[in-house]
């Protein structure tokens, strides 16, 4: 069976499993304090957020529910941030306190589009928790209430983040070695996060 060895595909570990787990617990504690008695809905975008959502849920002891969206990009012609919904929420968020949970915010265009869509459904409140943030790449102003880590402008994988659908299972976050990248550049396959 082929095994992907981290030492051959990762050139540099940026965040260890311990650092990530400690920060996720801190985020969970902050969210629990802010949302006590509000029974929030945590909304995640498939697929990159799955590991973060699973750990964050276990760090939040107050009552809450979860739901997921799945999206795909329309492609380069449609313009940045234009997304097509593959799977909508199964919960009505009208009057609910919604916490949008993201793995990574980079240009912010996808999140901007999704927040506009959710705001139109009249939630009681709508805030964002992202584990990773690349603020230097931001193209739109976005209010991020909770941020786990700021990252440099480098393509990273692990802890849910992929390169062509691989490496999501790594428990740490690292920079992909140059020899693994395709000659025509980087980018997650399928554009659904
Ligand atoms: P944006 O904020 O609209 O530019 O898109 C953010 C999405 O791009 C994230 O949800 C990820 O799916 C993806 N992404 C951005 N940077 C990285 C990275 O370094 N590794 C893996 N995926 C990334």
């Amino acid at each position: 069976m082929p095994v992907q060895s981290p030492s051959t595909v990762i050139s540099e570990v940026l965040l260890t499993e311990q650092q990530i787990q400690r920060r996720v617990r801190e985020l969970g504690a902050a969210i629990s304090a802010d949302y006590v008695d509000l029974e929030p809905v945590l909304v995640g975008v498939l697929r990159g957020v799955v590991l973060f959502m699973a750990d964050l849920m276990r760090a939040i002891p107050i009552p809450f529910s979860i739901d997921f969206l799945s999206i795909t990009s329309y492609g380069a012609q449609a313009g940045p941030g234009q997304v097509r919904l593959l799977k909508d929420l199964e919960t009505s968020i009208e009057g609910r306190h919604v916490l949008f949970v993201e793995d990574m915010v980079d240009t912010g265009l996808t999140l901007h589009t999704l927040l506009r869509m959710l705001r139109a459904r009249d939630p009681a409140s709508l805030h964002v928790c992202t584990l990773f943030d690349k603020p230097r790449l931001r193209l739109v102003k976005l209010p991020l209430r909770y941020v786990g880590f700021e990252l440099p402008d480098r393509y990273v994988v692990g802890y849910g983040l992929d390169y062509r659908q691989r490496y999501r299972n790594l428990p740490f976050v690292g920079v992909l070695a140059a020899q693994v990248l395709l000659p025509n550049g980087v980018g997650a396959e399928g554009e659904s996060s």
Side-chain angles (χ1 to χ4, degrees):
M1 186 200 303
V3 173
Q4 55 189 38
S5 155
S7 60
T8 57
V9 296
I10 300 296
S11 61
E12 188 187 341
V13 173
L14 294 185
L15 295 165
T16 66
E17 181 174 3
Q18 290 74 16
Q19 286 173 309
I20 295 171
Q21 293 299 331
R22 192 179 324 122
R23 189 71 186 117
V24 172
R25 283 196 296 275
E26 289 171 0
L27 291 172
I31 291 165
S32 305
D34 293 343
Y35 284 89
V36 71
D37 296 330
L38 296 181
E39 193 149 355
V41 191
L42 273 51
V43 170
V45 183
L46 297 171
R47 291 163 268 188
V49 82
V50 167
L51 267 70
F52 177 38
M53 185 70 102
D55 286 337
L56 185 65
M57 286 170 65
R58 285 177 283 196
I60 300 179
I62 63 166
F64 65 92
S65 56
I66 59 164
D67 207 338
F68 293 95
L69 290 167
S70 180
I71 56 170
T72 186
S73 158
Y74 274 116
Q77 304 90 330
Q82 296 301 304
V83 296
R84 183 163 63 90
L85 218 47
L86 295 177
K87 180 206 169 299
D88 203 345
L89 298 178
E90 289 167 33
T91 321
S92 164
I93 58 167
E94 189 179 344
R96 300 287 306 272
H97 293 277
V98 176
L99 182 61
F100 199 93
V101 180
E102 264 282 21
D103 48 353
M104 169 80 76
V105 182
D106 143 347
T107 65
L109 292 170
T110 311
L111 182 58
H112 182 73
T113 303
L114 292 175
L115 289 178
R116 202 173 46 204
M117 184 187 88
L118 294 186
R119 224 171 267 127
R121 300 181 186 187
D122 290 325
S125 66
L126 179 59
H127 293 287
V128 179
C129 171
T130 185
L131 184 56
F132 306 119
D133 182 18
K134 289 184 187 167
R136 275 187 291 279
L137 293 180
R138 193 79 84 258
L139 295 177
V140 281
K141 209 164 152 25
L142 281 175
L144 304 178
R145 192 177 200 187
Y146 310 94
V147 175
F149 300 94
E150 285 195 3
L151 292 181
D153 174 17
R154 300 173 78 181
Y155 198 84
V156 296
V157 295
Y159 200 69
L161 297 170
D162 74 307
Y163 174 63
R164 302 179 70 80
Q165 298 305 330
R166 287 188 176 177
Y167 316 115
R168 293 189 195 273
N169 54 332
L170 298 175
F172 54 85
V173 164
V175 179
L176 213 50
Q179 69 266 22
V180 182
L181 299 173
L182 289 180
N184 62 349
V186 300
E189 203 171 62
E191 290 93 21
S192 60
S193 71

